Amino acid sequence: MTKQKRTVFYLSDRTGITAETLGHSLLTQFDGIEWETVNVPFLDDMDNAQAVLAQINHAAERDGHRPLVFSTLLKPEILEVIKQANCRIFDFFETFIRSIEEELHQPFARMAGRSHGLQHHLSYFKRIAAINYVMAHDDGVNPKHFTDADIILTGVSRSGKTPTCLYLGLQYGIAAANYPLTPDDMDVQQLPAVLEPVKHKLFGLTLTPAQLHFIRQERRPDSQYASLAQCQREIQWQEALFSRFDIPYLDTTRISIEEISAIILDRCGLKRQLYG
């Protein structure tokens, strides 16, 4: 079955992160459409607005369908130009701000960039500190500073520890370390000694042997490290270890990093340290 081709524009007078994130989240609920995405950040003057209007009209003529436009534009005159195009506009501020103004009995500030700018310096530096911590404590580095971690992810090689830690730091401001479980650890059948003092901060990541085999094959094709038998042994051992030492863990086989991170925060009682 041939997919319908449509164009979606994300327009903003700042970075466009909010428009793209919300719009993309909504469009994932609709199947059978091949989207061409056009991001237009920093749309803040009339000449550029006229150029985007022409671009939208061209897409409508080419596709045979009017494009969708997700907007967080704050300047009314810019938005009015875009409204002249052959498109369907979904303006997030227009949709939500009016009812919030009515409830709070005050007009909104009409200031661009507040979600992702540097107005909240403490939050910004907290994000940087969290990312620096993640990078300095990746793959078992600097274990003497594990006591400073909000959480320590553990699991066998290629189980998703590093990307999850980075996401936790970037999106939530969580100081996340990670420690790899190795075949040497399997031989002693014990929790690595360096993790004993911080056992209460541990959270395990696991996945199916077949998925681990697939991931490792991409890195080291046809090696012992990537063999299905080796993957089966390591997964069986680590899950037994998690159960033996009462370490909470999650099967990440069919879960995105975003979902993994949200589940970890919920199950471990961690609080988001920043927004945006």
Side-chain angles (χ1 to χ4, degrees):
M1 181 178 177
T2 303
K3 286 188 175 183
Q4 179 186 149
K5 293 186 177 181
R6 301 287 294 261
T7 303
V8 55
F9 286 79
Y10 298 109
L11 310 184
S12 175
D13 33 29
R14 293 296 294 172
T15 63
I17 294 172
T18 300
E20 185 175 6
T21 300
L22 291 174
H24 175 74
S25 181
L26 292 170
L27 293 183
T28 58
Q29 298 299 316
F30 298 90
D31 299 324
I33 301 174
E34 181 180 331
W35 293 103
E36 178 175 331
T37 300
V38 181
N39 296 293
V40 185
F42 306 107
L43 180 57
D44 56 5
D45 67 66
M46 296 297 283
D47 288 341
N48 285 338
Q50 291 291 343
V52 172
L53 182 151
Q55 191 177 6
I56 293 171
N57 286 339
H58 174 73
E61 183 176 352
R62 179 196 63 206
D63 297 345
H65 301 283
R66 59 179 179 170
L68 304 189
V69 174
F70 292 99
S71 162
T72 53
L73 295 168
L74 283 171
K75 292 184 178 180
E77 64 273 22
I78 301 292
L79 188 57
E80 283 305 311
V81 171
I82 302 302
K83 286 181 176 179
Q84 298 171 27
N86 182 18
C87 64
R88 176 65 186 271
I89 296 180
F90 300 93
D91 184 75
F92 289 115
F93 283 113
E94 193 172 77
T95 300
F96 297 107
I97 284 290
R98 300 308 173 201
S99 56
I100 297 174
E101 284 181 324
E102 292 173 5
E103 181 63 27
L104 299 181
H105 304 292
Q106 70 176 68
F108 75 109
R110 203 176 285 278
M111 292 181 64
R114 282 197 164 186
S115 293
H116 304 284
L118 290 181
Q119 286 82 5
H120 305 292
H121 295 286
L122 290 179
S123 291
Y124 177 78
F125 289 117
K126 186 172 287 187
R127 184 197 302 273
I128 297 301
I131 295 171
N132 284 337
Y133 183 88
V134 170
M135 295 178 68
H137 298 84
D138 182 39
D139 213 24
V141 175
N142 292 322
K144 64 181 180 180
H145 296 139
F146 277 2
T147 53
D148 298 328
D150 294 317
I151 192 166
I152 303 165
L153 302 186
T154 188
V156 298
S157 173
R158 313 308 287 180
S159 57
K161 301 181 297 299
T162 295
T164 303
C165 283
L166 285 170
Y167 190 87
L168 286 168
L170 180 64
Q171 295 296 325
Y172 296 111
I174 298 296
N178 75 77
Y179 188 92
L181 297 175
T182 69
D184 289 340
D185 296 318
M186 289 177 61
D187 292 339
V188 297
Q189 296 292 313
Q190 288 289 330
L191 193 68
V194 72
L195 298 181
E196 286 285 356
V198 290
K199 189 168 77 71
H200 61 290
K201 295 187 176 186
L202 296 179
F203 192 96
L205 297 183
T206 191
L207 65 171
T208 64
Q211 181 69 4
L212 183 61
H213 166 65
F214 175 79
I215 294 169
R216 288 183 174 183
Q217 274 286 98
E218 293 290 312
R219 189 181 188 194
R220 298 183 194 170
D222 302 321
S223 63
Q224 172 64 24
Y225 164 81
S227 71
L228 182 57
Q230 180 66 21
C231 293
Q232 289 170 333
R233 283 193 295 269
E234 290 187 31
I235 293 298
Q236 183 178 19
W237 168 77
Q238 83 161 5
E239 292 183 2
L241 187 78
F242 293 156
S243 297
R244 179 179 178 185
F245 290 95
D246 199 27
I247 298 169
Y249 68 95
L250 178 66
D251 184 340
T252 66
T253 305
R254 294 178 178 83
I255 309 178
S256 67
I257 289 175
E258 294 87 347
E259 291 175 289
I260 294 167
S261 301
I263 291 170
I264 289 172
L265 260 66
D266 179 63
R267 288 181 58 180
C268 297
L270 295 174
K271 300 296 183 184
R272 176 193 282 268
Q273 300 298 308
L274 49 86
Y275 290 84

